[in-house]
Amino acid sequence: MLQQTQVKTVIPYFEVFLHNLPTLKSLSQSNETKVLKLWEGLGYYRRAKNLLATSKILVNKFSSKLPKNLIDIKKLPGIGDYTGNALLAFIHDYPTIAIDGNVKRVFSRILNKNENKIDFKKLIENNKKNLFKTKRNSDFVEALMEFGALICRPKEPKCYNCNIKNMCKYFKSDKKIKQDKTFKVKEKNYNIFCYIDKTKKKIALTKKHNLGFLDKFYLPPIKESRSNKKIKNWNFHSNFKNSISNKKLNINLYYKCSLKIPPQHKWFSLKKNNEFIPSFTKKIFKQISRINK
Ligand code: SF4
């Protein structure tokens, strides 16, 4: 849940999730509809699907235990270097560091070197003995991440309160490196086409929309567009902006009252559905519902 999402947002979801599925076994015996329902509103739904798939693999193939090596851990759905190393440290107390933005910043400041010029994997591997002098590896890894988030912050690091300022080249240097690499996500234009049944207050949705990052979720037909030109034969409804899964979308919403819908589409009520509907689609429901009023 914490991938790409802040702790304060995650806490209520985490509590409800654990209340409903308290063990790895109960999660593995659950199903996608239930897990997605518990995840509803948290976004990045692929995480939920991967978590469910992982729980099944762990229970069925690994006797409910997490493998003890990175190669096997990385075979689990949705787990790469970062999460794999974090799991090895937190669960098995191994001397491995999950290299996130915080960790990168701390090391690059200590060396007063630009992040792009550091091979972090090599740096950590070569200095493993010096870094992991403790028997509490998992605490050390957690502390390093927290240190980056709270003390060696992206802006205005708290150098005067820092315990390691005497070994920090950034603190001592007159020529401090700049790490300000605000990554700008490029906005993309999309057209969304809503077939609506005004009388029954229904909208046509499909899972076949070729929108990779919302793969296998119900959406009205959606297409990326290179221009902002209005589309013929469709009623323009509104323009709105939305961010999903690290993507910025500039959306033109169109609608058509039609009882005929394209193949692989099905009708959904604009009010209540038993099936899981991602929050992005619900936002469109809200907009479209206004037409009926
Ligand atoms: S002295 Fe400042 S820059 Fe250096 S590690 Fe500490 S907080 Fe970060």
Side-chain angles (χ1 to χ4, degrees), residues 51-69:
L51 187 67
L52 176 63
T54 293
S55 72
K56 289 183 193 291
I57 297 171
L58 290 181
V59 169
N60 297 325
K61 282 195 182 164
F62 294 96
S63 316
S64 299
K65 298 268 187 303
L66 188 78
K68 291 193 169 181
N69 65 77

Side-chain angles (χ1 to χ4, degrees), residues 18-255:
L18 274 201
H19 179 75
N20 283 276
L21 299 168
T23 62
L24 188 64
K25 198 171 175 197
S26 59
L27 174 60
S28 73
Q29 289 167 346
S30 179
N31 58 56
E32 205 167 283
T33 313
K34 182 169 183 184
V35 172
L36 285 174
K37 199 77 199 155
L38 290 168
W39 208 276
E40 201 169 355
L42 199 55
Y44 297 94
Y45 295 101
R46 203 167 287 164
R47 297 178 298 181
K49 292 183 173 200
N50 285 338
L51 187 67
L52 176 63
T54 293
S55 72
K56 289 183 193 291
I57 297 171
L58 290 181
V59 169
N60 297 325
K61 282 195 182 164
F62 294 96
S63 316
S64 299
K65 298 268 187 303
L66 188 78
K68 291 193 169 181
N69 65 77
L70 195 57
I71 294 172
D72 280 342
I73 290 185
K74 277 172 68 178
K75 285 182 189 157
L76 298 168
I79 297 185
D81 266 331
Y82 171 73
T83 315
N85 278 311
L87 289 169
L88 282 174
F90 295 147
I91 309 238
H92 295 311
D93 204 28
Y94 279 15
T96 57
I97 293 181
I99 306 167
D100 69 351
N102 287 325
V103 171
K104 282 186 180 175
R105 188 172 55 256
V106 171
F107 282 120
S108 69
R109 284 213 178 117
I110 292 172
L111 298 170
N112 200 35
K113 244 186 177 180
N114 197 291
E115 277 183 29
N116 303 330
K117 294 192 176 144
I118 302 174
D119 180 342
F120 289 97
K121 268 191 188 173
K122 209 167 157 188
L123 177 77
I124 290 166
E125 207 44 53
N126 291 346
N127 290 285
K128 222 167 196 172
K129 273 193 185 156
N130 288 331
L131 285 167
F132 291 96
K133 282 182 176 164
T134 166
K135 283 190 179 136
R136 294 164 56 193
N137 292 326
S138 70
D139 287 342
F140 173 70
V141 173
E142 171 77 36
L144 190 58
M145 289 167 153
E146 293 296 317
F147 178 75
L150 303 173
I151 305 291
C152 197
R153 310 179 290 194
K155 284 182 188 163
E156 298 170 20
K158 294 181 172 174
C159 297
Y160 287 97
N161 295 329
C162 176
N163 287 340
I164 56 169
K165 58 179 176 286
N166 291 336
M167 56 170 279
C168 176
K169 291 187 178 164
Y170 177 94
F171 179 69
K172 289 182 187 169
S173 174
D174 298 330
K175 270 186 157 185
K176 298 190 193 307
I177 38 120
K178 283 198 176 145
Q179 292 290 6
D180 190 23
K181 46 168 185 108
T182 29
F183 180 66
K184 281 206 172 156
V185 183
K186 217 176 143 199
E187 191 177 80
K188 283 189 175 175
N189 297 321
Y190 286 89
N191 292 325
I192 290 185
F193 303 96
C194 303
Y195 292 88
I196 55 171
D197 177 342
K198 241 179 161 181
T199 330
K200 293 186 180 157
K201 299 188 182 356
K202 287 189 169 182
I203 181 168
L205 303 181
T206 180
K207 282 186 177 179
K208 297 275 174 196
H209 44 65
N210 296 326
L211 205 64
F213 56 93
L214 279 174
D215 196 18
K216 298 190 189 112
F217 291 115
Y218 281 113
L219 285 180
I222 175 165
K223 275 192 186 142
E224 196 180 331
S225 125
R226 302 228 174 261
S227 75
N228 247 332
K229 270 190 192 166
K230 300 280 179 287
I231 308 287
K232 267 190 200 167
N233 302 327
W234 284 86
N235 303 303
F236 176 73
H237 180 277
S238 54
N239 170 272
F240 66 97
K241 295 190 191 296
N242 204 91
S243 299
I244 329 173
S245 304
N246 270 348
K247 307 240 178 319
K248 276 190 175 176
L249 280 60
N250 176 37
I251 291 161
N252 281 327
L253 191 62
Y254 293 89
Y255 73 96

